[in-house]
């Protein structure tokens, strides 16, 4: 494998890992394998620690392709718990409000989802990496500051119900969307559309562009491959050797 010219690694990000954790793990084993002190490794599209699924990690000169890879359509399977909200719109923070759910039916859900197809405006979560006056929104939110973010235009190509547990009030959706879509914010907005509340309790990214979850390997399998794969080097590296 030619990690210097560049490889794109398809990884199934584990629960609890940040995207930086994944990049750090890959970079660490590459530095050891290539006998270097510095080496470029990046990723195409952040996943929250509580999310799992497709993550594209690129090495060497292929880091120049990150923007192109990030532009690919994303597919997610998300579970939203209706009837309660949290400040982060997911399980990172504690419930801060509860709302009625007895009126919510499958028919009402189907009707509400119509408004979330096509081009929509979405206000990013306060607990996000968006910048406000040069500061990361999530850092300001965690410090207790009020964060005001402007809505962004995005595209939801598909949104459909996978399952609805009317006892737990857990709504599982398959979502195909453009770059920049915050599924946590979608959970918030769907809760509001149902005249209730909602927050994300599970998220799995199942596709990025043409790469599906079936193409991905767990992180330790990728590390094993890096450690054992025959190495190739570009001509300029070979001349140095």
């Amino acid at each position: 494998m030619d990690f210097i010219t560049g490889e794109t690694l398809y990884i199934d990000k584990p629960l609890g890992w940040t995207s930086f954790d994944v990049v750090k793990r890959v970079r660490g084993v590459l530095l050891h394998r290539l006998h270097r002190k510095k080496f470029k490794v990046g990723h195409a599209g952040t996943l929250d620690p509580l999310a799992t699924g497709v993550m594209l990690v690129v090495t060497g000169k292929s880091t120049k392709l990150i923007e192109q890879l990030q532009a690919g359509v994303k597919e997610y399977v998300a579970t939203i718990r209706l009837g309660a909200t949290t400040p982060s719109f997911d399980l990172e923070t504690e419930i801060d409000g509860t709302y009625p759910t007895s009126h919510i039916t499958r028919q009402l859900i189907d009707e509400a989802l119509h408004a979330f197809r096509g081009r929509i405006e979405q206000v990013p979560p306060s607990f996000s990496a968006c910048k406000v006056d040069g500061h990361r929104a999530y850092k300001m939110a965690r410090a207790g500051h009020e964060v005001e973010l402007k809505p962004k235009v995005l595209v939801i190509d598909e949104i459909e119900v996978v399952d609805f547990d009317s006892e737990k009030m857990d709504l599982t959706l398959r979502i195909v969307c453009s770059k920049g879509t915050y599924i946590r914010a979608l959970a918030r907005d769907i809760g509001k559309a149902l005249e209730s509340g909602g927050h994300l309790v599970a998220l799995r990214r199942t596709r990025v562009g043409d790469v599906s979850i079936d193409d991905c390997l767990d992180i330790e399998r990728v590390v094993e491959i890096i450690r054992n794969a025959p190495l190739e080097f570009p001509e300029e590296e070979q001349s140095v050797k």
Side-chain angles (χ1 to χ4, degrees), residues 211-226:
V211 181
S212 79
I213 193 64
D214 294 333
D215 301 317
C216 297
L217 300 173
D218 69 69
I219 182 66
E220 294 309 322
R221 176 60 182 141
V222 171
V223 166
E224 182 184 347
I225 288 171
I226 294 172

Side-chain angles (χ1 to χ4, degrees), residues 5-20:
T5 299
E7 298 284 351
T8 302
L9 307 172
Y10 304 160
I11 297 174
D12 183 352
K13 189 191 85 64
L15 184 68
W17 287 48
T18 66
S19 297
F20 177 75

Side-chain angles (χ1 to χ4, degrees), residues 12-207:
D12 183 352
K13 189 191 85 64
L15 184 68
W17 287 48
T18 66
S19 297
F20 177 75
D21 289 336
V22 175
V23 169
K24 183 179 178 181
R25 183 80 173 104
V26 171
R27 183 188 290 117
V29 70
L30 279 170
L31 289 174
H32 184 266
R33 186 80 203 277
L34 298 172
H35 305 290
R36 291 187 169 208
K37 292 184 178 180
K38 292 183 179 180
F39 190 65
K40 284 187 178 181
V41 180
H43 68 83
T46 301
L47 274 177
D48 291 334
L50 297 178
T52 65
V54 179
M55 187 172 167
L56 307 185
V57 174
V58 289
T59 75
K61 295 178 182 178
S62 285
T63 52
K64 295 177 182 179
L65 302 175
I66 285 177
E67 189 172 340
Q68 178 184 331
L69 293 170
Q70 283 179 331
V73 170
K74 316 291 192 304
E75 180 185 69
Y76 297 90
V77 174
T79 299
I80 301 166
R81 183 154 296 159
L82 301 171
T85 57
T86 71
S88 59
F89 312 146
D90 64 6
L91 295 175
E92 182 183 341
T93 52
E94 298 294 324
I95 290 172
D96 63 354
T98 56
Y99 303 84
T101 58
S102 58
H103 64 287
I104 298 177
T105 63
R106 173 60 191 270
Q107 181 179 345
L108 187 64
I109 291 168
D110 288 339
E111 291 171 357
L113 291 181
H114 284 301
F116 295 93
R117 293 186 177 97
R119 288 173 64 86
I120 67 169
E121 285 193 347
Q122 182 187 78
V123 178
S126 298
F127 286 76
S128 69
C130 294
K131 286 189 175 182
V132 179
D133 298 328
H135 302 285
R136 295 292 184 187
Y138 71 86
K139 290 185 178 179
M140 297 173 65
R142 285 172 182 160
H145 300 296
E146 191 169 332
V147 180
E148 187 174 339
L149 295 169
K150 295 180 180 180
K152 296 183 177 182
V153 176
L154 51 92
V155 178
I156 307 290
D157 294 305
E158 299 177 47
I159 183 167
E160 65 176 7
V161 176
V162 174
D163 184 57
F164 176 51
D165 185 332
S166 58
E167 291 187 9
K168 291 183 178 179
M169 275 292 142
D170 281 357
L171 172 63
T172 301
L173 302 171
R174 185 184 73 88
I175 302 155
V176 179
C177 57
S178 65
K179 171 189 173 182
T181 303
Y182 284 93
I183 307 300
R184 289 180 288 132
L186 203 57
R188 169 202 63 196
D189 295 340
I190 290 171
K192 287 182 179 179
L194 293 168
E195 297 184 348
S196 183
H199 64 285
L200 196 65
V201 294
L203 181 64
R204 185 158 178 76
R205 187 156 67 191
T206 51
R207 181 163 62 90

